[in-house]
Amino acid sequence: MAPTRIGSLLQYEAEYGVVICRECQYAIQKSALESHLLKHKIYRNERQRLVSTLSQLELLEPDEVRLPSPSSGPIDGLPVIDGYRCTIAACGRLYASTIRIKRHCSEMHGNGQSSDTFSIARPAKLQTFFRGTKIRYFEVTNPVSLSESGTAPFNKNRWKATRPNQDSDNKESSTNADCMASATFHDDSGASLSRIDLDTLAYFHHFTTITGPTLPIPRHLERYWQQHVISKALQQRQLMCGLLSISALHLAFLSGDPATARKHCDQARQYSSDFFKTRDEMSDDSDEDEKAKNAAKQVDCILQCAFWTLPVHPLEQASFELVDIVANIRGLVLQNGESDGEEKTPACTTDPISCGDFSIPGTFGAFSSISAFRARLQELPSRMTEAFGRPDNVRDVITVLESISALDKSCESVRVFDDAGQVCQATAMWLTSVPLAFTDLVAQYNPPALVVLTYWTASLLKRAEDYGCWFWSGLAKTILELIARQLATRENAALGLVEDLLR
């Protein structure tokens, strides 16, 4: 049965009861359809039309979907993966990595010797409808070499780097220059590529020399992006595509020519398309390096912010969800914490003069200095009491007060940073120090929570933009406009608390 196209993004497979996103190349669960469309910047009217169309279709839950038989051809819109099938009778398990099939043969069939593994397993071409915890591989025959969009099917070994006289478990290279100089890239057949794409090389060079230092940097890992992440990207094609996309977007930001900026943005979209198509496959594979997985999640957050803020691809602000912006900024720090240990921002233990008071106008967002901001912040609880009166929910009040206290501490700490990467990291860390309930209040457009978010945006986030956090350029203005629009319709008292910050 031929698939049914729904708009340019989706296709419906009636035979299996699934809807496939052709850009992401996997099926979307019923409960995630609307949020998935929003992720692709499909806003209100069009999104509601698509959701209405999809509601009339028979869509099955992942566990209910019947898998195609091994003799079936590949499902259009899904990547074809190189994997393995166990040939033991009544087994037939499918795995997408060599490590997993070896483990299976050893644990389930007693084949302890790796050399014996492939006596009971054979190569197979695999697909899966869903990602995440719902992955269920099925075998296909006669796979096509290219998808309809012209994108090569995913192969986790397609981009790999080898170092002479060293195995794959070696320690990270001391510099990215060493990595690049000794890297040999291979195509799917294993043959060395004799020609180098000079545009790709230029983007790689720009990332390692210019873009890397502008990204969030954990204080305990020097040259985090240029060394630690690059060394992983040279072994993970999808991660490399993400870094190249960030580099292209940075060049678009730096370009003063709209045509050149658009060219870089188009190239960034191509790289990011490859990154997003294989991102979930990477994060779901337990055999992949945990640091590489978390770097990919952080790249995801940076790309989302950069695509939102670039002037050649403006946001449709009227339809955008504020909580999504907050979640992406928060994700920048969470991935560093998971990957490399808890991030610790040093407290400023000396006097304001020796730490730097940032008294030059404009260096602390809407405030003349960090001291002026902290003085206003300390007055905020009493001003809120006057504006809002007796609270309806004591728990919400505690959440807001804890968030104000966390913001005050963040301002005390952030003054010790003086480069873009560290300022970016410290700015985003406030969102990891507030109670989790604070994000819920923002999602509900709770007026007191929006007031606190306004203070953070007009101070720390604006300062981060001034310090060169380019992928946030204009984001403070976007957030403030969204907050102003919400407060104007919900709470005049709250608007009065932040009116001077929204200008």
Side-chain angles (χ1 to χ4, degrees), residues 232-413:
K232 301 301 179 185
L234 286 170
Q235 303 170 46
Q236 299 285 353
R237 178 180 181 273
Q238 55 269 48
L239 182 56
M240 179 63 77
C241 287
L243 301 188
L244 295 174
S245 183
I246 292 175
S247 179
L249 289 170
H250 190 206
L251 282 168
F253 172 80
L254 295 174
S255 175
D257 175 46
T260 301
R262 191 169 293 107
K263 177 183 176 182
H264 287 310
C265 278
D266 290 341
Q267 186 62 63
R269 275 201 172 94
Q270 293 183 34
Y271 288 132
S272 65
S273 178
D274 283 344
F275 168 76
F276 287 124
K277 285 175 183 176
T278 56
R279 168 197 54 191
D280 293 334
E281 183 71 27
M282 178 181 180
S283 62
D284 294 331
D285 190 340
S286 62
D287 298 324
E288 298 288 6
D289 189 298
E290 193 66 24
K291 290 184 179 181
K293 291 183 189 178
N294 285 289
K297 294 175 185 176
Q298 194 173 22
V299 167
D300 188 344
C301 294
I302 293 171
L303 286 176
Q304 294 284 3
C305 288
F307 274 120
W308 291 339
T309 58
L310 277 177
V312 291
H313 296 286
L315 268 172
E316 294 186 35
Q317 295 179 355
S319 302
F320 202 77
E321 298 294 338
L322 182 62
V323 71
D324 288 344
I325 299 179
V326 171
N328 267 279
I329 296 177
R330 187 175 187 270
L332 293 173
V333 174
L334 287 181
Q335 311 320 324
N336 282 341
E338 292 172 5
S339 175
D340 301 293
E342 183 180 357
E343 175 72 1
K344 293 181 178 158
T345 304
C348 181
T349 55
T350 55
D351 61 272
I353 300 300
S354 63
C355 276
D357 192 40
F358 301 118
S359 58
I360 301 174
T363 57
F364 206 70
F367 301 88
S368 60
S369 69
I370 192 171
S371 297
F373 170 75
R374 294 188 69 198
R376 282 276 299 275
L377 192 63
Q378 289 164 7
E379 297 172 356
L380 188 57
S382 60
R383 294 181 64 202
M384 280 185 167
T385 300
E386 294 175 2
F388 298 121
R390 185 183 180 90
D392 295 328
N393 189 316
V394 176
R395 186 172 299 175
D396 290 350
V397 173
I398 294 174
T399 296
V400 170
L401 291 176
E402 288 180 353
S403 300
I404 294 174
S405 176
L407 182 54
D408 185 53
K409 291 177 181 177
S410 292
C411 291
E412 178 68 11
S413 298

Side-chain angles (χ1 to χ4, degrees), residues 12-19 27-31 57-67 130 136:
Y12 174 55
E13 294 283 347
E15 184 176 357
Y16 303 104
V18 298
V19 168
I28 313 165
Q29 295 185 52
K30 284 195 297 185
S31 59
L57 304 176
E58 182 185 7
L59 297 180
L60 302 178
E61 296 295 340
D63 295 339
E64 300 171 344
V65 174
R66 175 182 61 83
L67 300 183
F130 299 94
R136 293 167 64 204

Side-chain angles (χ1 to χ4, degrees), residues 64-86:
E64 300 171 344
V65 174
R66 175 182 61 83
L67 300 183
S69 66
S71 60
S72 301
I75 302 296
D76 185 37
L78 299 178
V80 178
I81 304 167
D82 289 327
Y84 303 91
R85 174 183 284 276
C86 176

Side-chain angles (χ1 to χ4, degrees), residues 448-460:
L450 293 184
V451 168
V452 180
L453 188 64
T454 301
Y455 270 71
W456 170 78
T457 304
S459 56
L460 296 189

Side-chain angles (χ1 to χ4, degrees), residues 148-252:
E148 182 179 315
S149 62
T151 303
F154 170 65
N155 182 337
K156 67 174 64 181
N157 295 316
R158 184 173 184 186
W159 189 308
K160 57 186 178 181
T162 58
R163 295 186 55 126
N165 302 320
Q166 296 185 357
D167 59 36
S168 59
D169 293 327
N170 279 341
K171 296 181 179 179
E172 296 171 346
S173 56
S174 59
T175 66
N176 57 331
D178 290 339
C179 291
M180 192 62 185
S182 61
T184 302
F185 297 102
H186 302 268
D187 63 14
D188 289 337
S189 66
S192 232
L193 297 176
S194 58
R195 298 181 61 185
I196 297 177
D197 184 333
L198 294 182
D199 286 341
T200 299
L201 192 59
Y203 285 126
F204 181 85
H205 175 71
H206 182 77
F207 183 90
T208 59
T209 57
I210 307 297
T211 305
T214 70
L215 304 180
I217 302 172
R219 295 194 74 255
H220 57 294
L221 283 179
E222 295 182 2
R223 296 179 60 80
Y224 172 71
W225 290 96
Q226 304 99 305
Q227 179 177 331
H228 297 271
V229 178
I230 282 291
S231 67
K232 301 301 179 185
L234 286 170
Q235 303 170 46
Q236 299 285 353
R237 178 180 181 273
Q238 55 269 48
L239 182 56
M240 179 63 77
C241 287
L243 301 188
L244 295 174
S245 183
I246 292 175
S247 179
L249 289 170
H250 190 206
L251 282 168

